[in-house]
Amino acid sequence: MKEHSTMPTKEKRKQTRRKKKGVQVSNKRKKKPHTQVIQQKKKQQPNNTMNHKRKKKSVKRKKRTQQVLRSRKKKNQLKKIYKELLLTMIIVVSFISVIHYFTFRIPKVADYGMVTILNNGDRLFVNKLGKLRRFKLIYYKNPQTNEKEVRRLIGLPGEIIEYRNDQLYVNNEPVVERFLEEKLQQISSTGTVYTEDFTLVELFKKDQVPSDHYFVLGDNRQFALDSRTFGYIQKKDVIGIVEMRLLPLHTMERF
């Protein structure tokens, strides 16, 4: 009876051991898929990071390309603006140069022939379209030296010019030179003359100013080089009429 009773207990123990082993095996088998998922995840993680990095790089590249395009657009816009400015400047300068060539000049006095009304270094405004009239200051080219000078217009074409005792005679009639009144008053007390006597016949062997020619004198009569020394001024050599002294500013004056 004892032997019969012990046998089932042993078998039961064996069965329980088998069951436990089976449970462990089943548990191990169940755990395997979980580990596989983790491993797969671990394998997927680097792929995800790589994709993320690639996305970041692509975004950066896009930003860089956008910045480059913007900078290029700005450069192109600036180039267009500079071109337009250059074109406008060229047009303005050419327009002013054309006007300057045909209408006015701004020369600088380079002698003492017109002292005291003009001094060496004065800057003048010359009107090239002005009318030639007696006692106007004219800007011309010297026929002997080709230098540009300023003198006062005294004799017009066809006129007879003469000086006697500091008196100007035009066609044998006296003409007052108001711009010399102070000088004549100062020099009258000394017993000398401001302008030496002369006639056109004495100077040029002809009594009249030729056509298209002009007779000029400097206001500084005692020291000026003028038509008494280098002859008449041809019409083609007259550049214009001095309308104004521009510089120095404190001596600005209209003539």
Side-chain angles (χ1 to χ4, degrees):
M1 292 295 290
K2 284 181 183 178
E3 290 177 357
H4 182 76
S5 62
T6 56
M7 286 300 289
T9 56
K10 287 180 180 180
E11 288 178 357
K12 285 179 182 179
R13 286 176 185 175
K14 287 180 181 179
Q15 287 176 359
T16 53
R17 285 176 184 174
R18 286 175 183 174
K19 285 178 182 179
K20 285 180 180 179
K21 286 180 180 179
V23 170
Q24 288 177 356
V25 169
S26 64
N27 287 330
K28 285 181 181 178
R29 286 177 181 173
K30 287 178 182 178
K31 286 179 180 178
K32 276 183 182 178
H34 182 67
T35 55
Q36 286 177 358
V37 170
I38 292 166
Q39 287 176 358
Q40 286 176 359
K41 284 183 179 179
K42 284 181 180 179
K43 287 180 181 179
Q44 288 175 356
Q45 279 179 356
N47 291 326
N48 291 329
T49 53
M50 288 294 288
N51 291 326
H52 186 64
K53 287 180 180 178
R54 286 176 183 172
K55 285 180 181 179
K56 280 186 176 179
K57 285 181 180 179
S58 64
V59 170
K60 286 181 180 179
R61 284 177 184 172
K62 285 181 181 178
K63 286 182 179 179
R64 285 178 184 174
T65 52
Q66 286 176 357
Q67 288 176 355
V68 169
L69 290 171
R70 286 175 185 173
S71 64
R72 284 180 181 175
K73 283 182 181 179
K74 286 181 180 178
K75 285 180 181 178
N76 290 326
Q77 287 176 355
L78 289 171
K79 283 181 181 179
K80 286 180 181 179
I81 291 166
Y82 289 142
K83 284 180 181 178
E84 288 177 357
L85 287 171
L86 281 170
L87 285 171
T88 52
M89 287 293 289
I90 290 166
I91 291 166
V92 169
V93 169
S94 60
F95 182 70
I96 291 170
S97 62
V98 168
I99 292 171
H100 174 265
Y101 183 79
F102 287 105
T103 60
F104 70 92
R105 292 284 180 89
I106 304 176
K108 189 177 182 180
V109 178
D111 60 25
Y112 298 91
M114 291 300 295
V115 174
T116 59
I117 190 170
L118 294 177
N119 296 312
N120 186 35
D122 288 353
R123 186 69 69 177
L124 309 174
F125 178 82
V126 175
N127 181 11
K128 296 184 73 174
L129 303 177
K131 292 182 179 180
L132 294 171
R133 296 176 183 175
R134 193 185 323 279
F135 300 147
K136 283 286 187 180
L137 301 180
I138 65 170
Y139 182 61
Y140 63 91
K141 184 173 70 174
N142 190 307
Q144 290 183 351
T145 63
N146 289 326
E147 293 182 356
K148 311 257 187 333
E149 297 174 346
V150 178
R151 294 291 184 268
R152 196 177 292 275
L153 180 57
I154 302 296
L156 301 173
E159 292 182 339
I160 300 170
I161 305 298
E162 184 181 356
Y163 260 92
R164 294 196 305 267
N165 298 321
D166 274 338
Q167 177 63 57
L168 170 65
Y169 290 89
V170 178
N171 296 329
N172 299 319
E173 292 184 1
V175 177
V176 178
E177 296 176 290
R178 300 188 184 280
F179 51 90
L180 293 179
E181 284 181 352
E182 291 183 5
K183 286 286 183 183
L184 293 174
Q185 287 175 3
Q186 291 173 3
I187 207 164
S188 62
S189 60
T190 62
T192 59
V193 292
Y194 190 62
T195 306
E196 293 183 358
D197 295 350
F198 70 85
T199 63
L200 294 183
V201 175
E202 293 173 355
L203 295 175
F204 309 111
K205 297 181 180 181
K206 290 183 179 181
D207 61 348
Q208 288 184 347
V209 180
S211 61
D212 294 331
H213 288 71
Y214 300 93
F215 186 87
V216 296
L217 292 176
D219 285 2
N220 191 7
R221 298 287 169 82
Q222 294 173 327
F223 304 100
L225 298 176
D226 45 37
S227 289
R228 293 173 295 180
T229 55
F230 54 70
Y232 298 112
I233 302 297
Q234 293 186 29
K235 188 176 182 180
K236 65 177 183 179
D237 292 330
V238 177
I239 299 169
I241 295 171
V242 178
E243 299 283 357
M244 191 175 184
R245 174 169 47 209
L246 299 174
L247 296 173
L249 288 173
H250 67 277
T251 62
M252 187 180 289
E253 184 182 1
R254 188 177 180 84
F255 302 119

